[in-house]
Amino acid sequence: MDMIEVSAKTVSDAITEACQKLGVTSDKLDYEVVEEGSSGFLGIGAKSAVIKASVKKSSVEEVARVFLNDVFQAMNMEVVIAIKYNEEEKNMDIELSGNEMGVLIGKRGQTLDSLQYLTSLVVNKEQSGYTRVVIDAENYRAKREKTLELLAIRLAKKVGKTKRSIKLEPMNPYERKVIHATLQNHPYVTTRSEGQDPYRRVIIELKHK
């Protein structure tokens, strides 16, 4: 919201009025005193106090926390949110914990991915640069990555043995990247992706001689 100018009997009264007009508490208000105001002599020559005020810009951490709290409140869930933000590298890592993390993770992490995507949109809506947001719960992403690496190695052996290509189930871009990276230097199989999201999948096949 743009800056507004407010006049009142005192600076304190002007701050209170500005808070009411902007719909925020005083700790969320940025203001500049333009005129201190004075009571004059016996009321003669009195001057109103004048301030310029605006709503403080929320930090990216606060934006993410408020958004996620609203989501979890709507879901009637109690979730602890831990945020680590590296301003220099523009990375935000969010760790969720609570009693119902299975619900938030969802099948193959789909709910977690959706939360991550929406939070990223909210965080980057009014940012000049791009902040990379990663949301995790119960170390799911590391566990999932390890599972995908083992799957890639196992299926590569199968392709080598049967000489037949294998199509994996549809995966998100990150999961496909893990498969590709795991097998990029494999001696006798290669990988490629086909299809359109959200049905895009990886194919493991023999390298052409």
Side-chain angles (χ1 to χ4, degrees):
M1 184 176 289
D2 294 334
M3 184 170 287
I4 63 172
E5 186 170 285
V6 179
S7 61
K9 189 175 181 180
T10 65
V11 170
S12 179
D13 290 342
I15 292 172
T16 300
E17 186 175 338
C19 289
Q20 292 174 347
K21 287 185 176 182
L22 295 174
V24 297
T25 54
S26 59
D27 61 315
K28 301 291 184 183
L29 191 75
D30 262 337
Y31 68 90
E32 171 190 349
V33 178
V34 178
E35 177 64 55
E36 290 283 354
S38 63
S39 58
F41 178 71
L42 298 178
I44 300 173
K47 291 184 178 180
S48 297
V50 180
I51 67 169
K52 289 184 177 180
S54 62
V55 179
K56 283 183 180 178
K57 187 176 181 181
S58 299
S59 66
V60 288
E61 297 101 316
E62 186 177 0
V63 169
R65 190 180 299 278
V66 169
F67 170 72
L68 289 172
N69 274 327
D70 288 344
V71 170
F72 299 143
Q73 186 175 357
M75 296 173 70
N76 197 27
M77 295 180 65
E78 292 187 5
V79 180
V80 178
I81 305 169
I83 300 177
K84 293 181 180 179
Y85 177 57
N86 187 316
E87 186 173 3
E88 184 177 340
E89 297 182 4
K90 295 289 185 180
N91 286 333
M92 180 182 294
D93 293 311
I94 303 175
E95 182 70 29
L96 307 178
S97 58
N99 296 325
E100 301 176 271
M101 291 302 96
V103 175
L104 288 185
I105 292 172
K107 184 180 179 181
R108 297 205 328 271
Q110 290 178 344
T111 305
L112 203 61
D113 287 340
S114 296
L115 278 174
Q116 180 173 290
Y117 173 72
L118 293 173
T119 304
S120 179
L121 287 180
V122 172
V123 165
N124 287 291
K125 184 178 180 181
E126 297 182 5
Q127 296 293 317
S128 56
Y130 179 79
T131 296
R132 178 176 175 268
V133 177
V134 176
I135 298 182
D136 201 359
E138 296 184 339
N139 204 29
Y140 169 80
R141 297 202 180 279
K143 293 175 183 176
R144 177 63 174 165
E145 183 173 331
K146 186 63 177 178
T147 298
L148 291 171
E149 290 172 349
L150 294 174
L151 175 68
I153 293 170
R154 179 169 59 83
L155 293 180
K157 290 181 179 178
K158 186 174 181 180
V159 170
K161 184 177 180 180
T162 64
K163 312 300 181 186
R164 298 178 63 181
S165 300
I166 293 178
K167 289 185 179 181
L168 280 69
E169 63 185 4
M171 295 179 178
N172 61 42
Y174 170 75
E175 293 181 331
R176 295 197 303 270
K177 182 179 179 181
V178 172
I179 300 293
H180 291 311
T182 302
L183 300 178
Q184 64 180 350
N185 296 319
H186 199 280
Y188 53 82
V189 303
T190 187
T191 61
R192 61 184 175 88
S193 294
E194 72 170 17
Q196 300 295 322
D197 286 326
Y199 306 107
R200 193 165 175 80
R201 64 182 69 211
V202 174
I203 298 175
I204 303 175
E205 57 192 7
L206 285 175
K207 288 182 176 179
H208 296 297
K209 293 184 179 180

